[in-house]
Amino acid sequence: MQTKEWYNKKEILEIYPLSTATYKTRIKNIDPTKTKFIKSKSGSPSRLIHHSVLDVLFRKRRRLSSKEYDQTIKWVRNHHWNYFGDVVPGSSLIHELIYKMRYFFEELKKTQTEKNQITLFYAIEKNTNDNYYHAHFLIDFIKDMPLLEGIEDILEIICDPNTNKEGRIYLKEYDMKYDKGGAIYSSKEQKYFYEILW
C-alpha cells in the first residue's frame, strides 16, 4: 500500500532491485505528467516520480546474478508469484529444513516439461513454541502450473500432513489483491536463512 504520492530516486532504489544505470534507462520515456522536479540543496533539481507508475517502470526484473545477493529481498517483494505457503515439520533444524526445501524444489522441477520454468523462494524462521524451525515459501511457474493438490502431495514428503488437530502445511494460490503483501510477509527481515532456487 503506497503511503506517498511522489518518490525520489533514492527511495525508488530502496524499494526495487535496480542499479542507478537501470533506473536512468527506465525513466527515459516516462509520461511527463508522472514526473516533476523540485529544487534541492545540492543545486540541480531532484526528479520525483508518481507512485502510480512505479511498478510499471521498475517492477519487472530479470533473475538476479550471484553477485546481487544483497538485492534478494527487494527482488522477491517485487516479483509476481503463483503460490504462497509455509511448512512446519515436527522437528527440523535449519540445515535439515534447507535440505527439505531443496528437495521440494527438485521434485517441483519434475512437474515441468521445460527447464528453467520455475522459481522457488524460501525463508526459514524459528518456531515460537520450541527450538525448531519452519519455512515460508513462494513459487512462480512460468509454464505447466501444477494443481494445488499436486504441490501438497510433494510437501507431504518433507512435512507431516495436516490433521484435524494440527495444520503443518499451508498452501494457497497467490492472491493478487494483496499485491506484495504475501511476498513481504515471506521475506521478513528476521529470517534465519533464505534462498532463491531456479
Side-chain angles (χ1 to χ4, degrees), residues 20 54 58 60 72 77 86 100 105 115 119 135 148 153 165 168 178 183 189:
T20 301
L54 293 180
F58 306 117
K60 187 173 176 66
T72 300
R77 292 179 176 181
D86 56 69
K100 288 178 180 182
F105 177 67
K115 290 183 177 180
T119 303
L148 200 74
D153 289 345
K165 294 181 180 180
R168 295 267 177 198
Y178 295 116
E189 298 302 328

Side-chain angles (χ1 to χ4, degrees), residues 32 68 90 101:
E68 298 173 299
M101 295 309 294

